[in-house]
Amino acid sequence: MSETYRFPDAFRWGCATSAYQIEGSPLADGAGPSIWERFVHTPGMMHNGDTGDVACDHYRRFRDDVRLMRELGLTSYRFSIAWGRILPQGTGRINQQGLDFYRSLIDALLEHGIVPMATLFHWDLPEALDDRGGWLNRDVADWFAEYAGVCFDALDDRVPLWVTLNEPWVVTDGGYLHGAVAPGHRSPYETVIASHNLMRAHGAAVQAYRARGQHEIGLVVNLEPKYAASDSAADREATRRADAYMNRQYLDPAMKGHYPEEMPRIFGDAWREWPATDLEQICQPLDFLGINYYTRGLTRQDPDAWPLYASTVRQSQSTYTETGWEVFEQGLTDILVWVRERYGDIPLYVTENGAAFYDPPTVNTGGVQDPLRIDYLGRHLRAIHHAISSGVDVRGYYLWSLLDNLEWSLGFSKRFGIVHVDYATQERTPKDSARFYSNVIASHGEALTAGAGKTPEPQRADPS
Ligand code: BGC
């Protein structure tokens, strides 16, 4: 059956970025350092010793970047606010120059008819707060609500879409369990506490927004549907644990007011039972959920993979991106359908989706041909359309990412952008995928009808 991929007229077409990955000038105009400032300048933590000192120099070039967004036809843009630019010590004194930067960025977006979506926390916790325990200190919920309130007071008149946290799972799995991202700790005991405090902070920020905000606020999670690699009881049980750990650990408390029943088994004596009042604070009504989707997890039991005892199986016939993630667009349809079935009919945005692939150099060609990225985007956009056709209320898509940027501890070695950045000159060159995306936007998705890639059939993620 052929399908026409026309998206709703009000569908928002965007790109996503985050402050530390693109801005550069992290200490400019009175900003306080973040834990990423400390992490990147600690020898051995970053690929190739890369840092965000300059990154894409977006802090100084944002007007050109916004013009570029307009040229591409974006109707929305998801960016993050660096906490330390607003409150250099994390709490207390407000740095007006930091607010002015984001106000200018937002004004430039609005002048070009681009709807801003602002994320309050995309991993760059102020160093001063980390020195007070960071996400391990229960007071962090109040600190975050204070910072969020400053942003709401200054910018809510211009920002219709707010996000509290980006991907609490990565903050805790990467930052507190495996140490691959800042602050680089490795403790299951800390992981449990950091996760809980992140969610308390999320709830406190939503409460602060309800007291004064005029628009919409939501949470962004990264979801990976987990499918059992075999029918064996061990693999199915491992799949349930993996799903609880990555997908339900954050959404269940935020949307249902309790943690998944698997959590004590996953964390053993590191797990804690939390007061009911904490869960009441975490479970606040939200206006939307943001789903970041990159890949699925084909899961098997693995006695060596502490603490989950589950790992992901590679598929010999699949395509893998440069970050080692299987291209599996059907997982996006499945996870959108799953969110609706499990958490109800809340508006959804796909707040990140994209791929790092090797892009040939631009020298002498004047452009960048990136057919694998075009294929990836086409497949995933069709997968979203399929979910919409199945009744899921998806309101927009934010491609990761507008620009090649600092891929956290992998530095500049992985390029996710639809716009190539020459880091020596800061020259921006739209890749073929940027033109592809522009055509999709201009045609409300109809350009997808003719393109390559198969249409996924909805299928339930296994087993929850
Ligand atoms: C994050 C981005 C990151 C992207 C690709 C997401 O986990 O929100 O900051 O660059 O995935 O790894």
Side-chain angles (χ1 to χ4, degrees):
M1 182 188 74
S2 78
E3 188 169 347
T4 302
Y5 294 97
R6 172 120 193 150
F7 282 68
D9 286 346
F11 193 80
R12 291 194 161 119
W13 299 96
C15 280
T17 63
S18 90
Y20 192 75
Q21 293 180 275
I22 65 165
E23 285 177 359
S25 310
L27 303 179
D29 300 330
S34 76
I35 55 173
W36 274 93
E37 176 73 8
R38 180 180 278 168
F39 190 86
V40 303
H41 289 288
T42 302
M45 301 312 257
M46 294 291 291
H47 174 87
N48 196 36
D50 291 342
T51 76
D53 292 357
V54 177
C56 306
D57 200 22
H58 173 78
Y59 188 75
R60 298 191 307 145
R61 296 168 191 261
F62 72 91
R63 287 181 204 286
D64 292 342
D65 289 338
V66 172
R67 263 193 294 277
L68 183 56
M69 292 177 211
R70 180 63 230 146
E71 279 162 30
L72 295 177
L74 302 191
T75 62
S76 190
Y77 173 56
R78 174 174 177 247
F79 62 96
S80 79
I81 298 176
W83 188 337
R85 289 201 196 278
I86 311 300
L87 300 171
Q89 294 298 310
T91 58
R93 188 177 57 79
I94 297 171
N95 179 36
Q96 188 58 43
Q97 286 175 287
L99 283 173
D100 290 346
F101 167 67
Y102 291 106
R103 198 190 307 261
S104 304
L105 168 64
I106 291 162
D107 284 348
L109 291 167
L110 294 174
E111 274 162 31
H112 289 85
I114 299 170
V115 175
M117 178 188 275
T119 301
L120 290 163
F121 181 70
H122 200 126
W123 309 358
D124 44 1
L125 185 75
E127 193 178 275
L129 296 183
D130 197 47
D131 290 344
R132 295 160 72 186
W135 294 112
L136 302 174
N137 186 329
R138 268 186 79 81
D139 292 346
V140 72
D142 296 333
W143 302 338
F144 187 61
E146 177 187 336
Y147 153 62
V150 172
C151 293
F152 300 149
D153 285 344
L155 304 171
D156 189 52
D157 59 337
R158 296 160 160 88
V159 174
L161 296 164
W162 290 94
V163 170
T164 55
L165 309 176
N166 178 70
E167 301 187 351
W169 181 81
V170 176
V171 177
T172 60
D173 181 79
Y176 290 88
L177 189 62
H178 297 298
V181 298
H185 298 193
R186 295 177 186 208
S187 159
Y189 294 89
E190 290 189 358
T191 302
V192 166
I193 297 167
S195 287
H196 186 65
N197 284 336
L198 272 155
M199 295 313 291
R200 289 179 52 248
H202 155 77
V206 176
Q207 286 175 323
Y209 192 70
R210 296 302 174 215
R212 55 186 118 187
Q214 303 295 317
H215 300 107
E216 298 187 4
I217 191 160
L219 170 70
V220 165
V221 287
N222 56 312
L223 300 181
E224 243 179 45
K226 304 293 183 184
Y227 307 83
S230 83
D231 267 345
S232 75
D235 284 352
R236 291 180 64 80
E237 174 59 23
T239 305
R240 243 186 301 278
R241 281 197 303 276
D243 174 60
Y245 177 61
M246 189 158 179
N247 302 325
R248 285 179 279 129
Q249 183 178 188
Y250 302 95
L251 283 183
D252 276 10
M255 302 294 289
K256 292 173 175 279
H258 60 77
Y259 283 103
E261 61 179 4
E262 293 89 346
M263 299 317 296
R265 261 182 293 144
I266 293 169
F267 281 102
D269 63 2
W271 181 251
R272 299 198 182 185
E273 294 305 327
W274 301 102
T277 46
D278 283 6
L279 284 142
E280 280 161 25
Q281 182 178 36
I282 293 170
C283 185
Q284 298 294 321
L286 299 179
D287 301 308
F288 64 89
L289 281 176
I291 312 297
N292 293 354
Y293 177 81
Y294 289 92
T295 191
R296 69 161 165 177
L298 189 60
T299 310
R300 68 175 173 91
Q301 189 197 32
D302 181 352
D304 298 325
W306 174 91
L308 268 189
Y309 302 109
S311 57
T312 298
V313 178
R314 268 183 87 89
Q315 290 285 86
S316 53
Q317 73 278 20
S318 295
T319 303
Y320 284 80
T321 70
E322 279 232 355
T323 45
W325 299 336
E326 183 187 0
V327 177
F328 190 74
E329 68 274 17
Q330 180 164 336
L332 179 51
T333 311
D334 293 351
I335 205 72
L336 292 168
V337 169
W338 174 82
V339 167
R340 178 169 185 263
E341 284 179 0
R342 185 171 178 85
Y343 301 107
D345 198 8
I346 181 170
L348 303 180
Y349 288 91
V350 174
T351 34
E352 285 182 33
N353 172 247
F357 284 113
Y358 174 76
D359 299 329
T362 53
V363 188
N364 296 334
T365 66
V368 181
Q369 283 131 31
D370 56 345
L372 289 174
R373 186 173 292 102
I374 291 174
D375 186 64
Y376 182 100
L377 297 175
R379 287 171 183 273
H380 288 81
L381 286 165
R382 288 186 196 94
I384 293 169
H385 191 269
H386 216 88
I388 294 173
S389 306
S390 316
V392 185
D393 184 6
V394 188
R395 305 246 171 126
Y397 175 79
Y398 295 83
L399 192 166
W400 187 272
S401 187
L402 176 70
L403 305 170
D404 291 335
N405 61 49
L406 183 95
E407 178 52 19
W408 303 112
S409 52
L410 300 175
F412 299 109
S413 66
K414 306 293 176 220
R415 292 179 177 269
F416 275 89
I418 54 171
V419 175
H420 179 273
V421 176
D422 179 333
Y423 294 110
T425 63
Q426 291 297 340
E427 189 185 349
R428 274 77 163 134
T429 306
K431 305 178 190 179
D432 286 357
S433 56
R435 298 204 173 83
F436 168 78
Y437 191 40
S438 288
N439 289 337
V440 170
I441 297 171
S443 65
H444 294 274
E446 283 182 8
L448 294 163
T449 308
K454 66 178 171 33
T455 304
E457 290 302 321
Q459 173 187 299
R460 277 189 68 87
D462 190 29
S464 58

